[in-house]
Amino acid sequence: MGRGTISNNTVANLVNATTNASTSAAGSISGIYVSNGDNTISNNTVRNLSIANANNSISHTASVSGIALTNTNPLGGTVVSGNTVHSLSNSFSTFAGGVIGIYFNGSTTASTVSQNFIHSLSVTGGSSTTADLYGIKINAGATTYSNNIISLGGDTQTDIFGIYQTGAASNNNNLYFNTVYISGTQSSGTNLSYALFSTGTSNTRNYRNNILVNARSTTEESFRHYALYIAASGGTLTCDYNNYYVSGTGGVLGFFGSDKTTSVIVTNQDANSIATNPAFISTGTAASGYAPTVPGTGVTVTGITTDYAGNTRGVPESMGALYVTSWSGGTSTDWATTSNWTSGAAPVAGSIVNIPSGRTNYPSLADDRTLSSLTLASGASLNLSSNTLTLT
């Protein structure tokens, strides 16, 4: 096909009845599948797709995928934006394939994958020790991935990849302002998990302003669950201003030639990266819950001016898909005083604002303000002073 638009659709509740509970490797379900042409796929919801078969593919022919693209014919670039993909599953008892939120195989014409929310992918078979879950699987294409939110977990023995990146020469990938959260408890086995797994060997990779959290645990052994894993050092790599955080048993910040366990520096470029709990508002099934109450300071990226919710990003930047400004109150109660904010700047219109507890001073408005959302912790306060606060 040529250029097309697939927007504002809901694809839901599909069950593959032909191969259900089958040992056959045949059969798959894709919510949206595009095999040719550069397209715009936006604002769709793909949910509740299930199958139970032995299809062990981990490509566009995987047993279950939310959105799968295999275009290699450049026209003007593909756009995959604003989609929500969740509740995809394979329940075959010995399933050894992949469940994939978004599979991207594009051309070397610049494309964009942004503002997508992917969560709740699963395998439910009791012996699925060789199955893989992928939030976004990048196979090929010169593409910028920005402002995506991915949350994967579960307690099965499963390898998990929040973002899996690879690419040959000219298949350059930019990963900016993505939020990835890996969770769950793996009761046994030696499966691994990665918020971001990179295996590109000859392309250009640029990773900045991402929040990569791996809270997954295992009882088997250490060095199983990574925030960042760079398997190959070939090509050109830029990597800085990221937050690498692990909290589960067996967690390790990263791998870059060797395991990195005691320093925030995963690569040799991480001078401005941090290893801090972002303290998400809620790690559930609402994208807004992945706003960090402890935002890290990022760096401005040309061309990325809004966040996941479409709100304007400010200066200085915050890491992750949701732009957040947090109140510190170290100077006064004045909302407009820049030193009262952790970002060093007062919130711009449309910002996500967090007011934590335990502050010496709490803010007071001197004029009307408009925010996207406000989180007011227990014990914290905000004095409107007869002004109007509008939450959009």
Side-chain angles (χ1 to χ4, degrees), residues 64-65 124 182 213 242 332 392:
V64 187
S65 58
T124 55
I182 308 298
V213 176
N242 301 301
S332 66
T392 59

Side-chain angles (χ1 to χ4, degrees), residues 10-33:
T10 297
V11 181
N13 303 317
L14 299 180
V15 178
N16 190 312
T18 303
T19 58
N20 227 30
S22 169
T23 58
S24 171
S28 64
I29 298 176
S30 293
I32 297 172
Y33 177 80

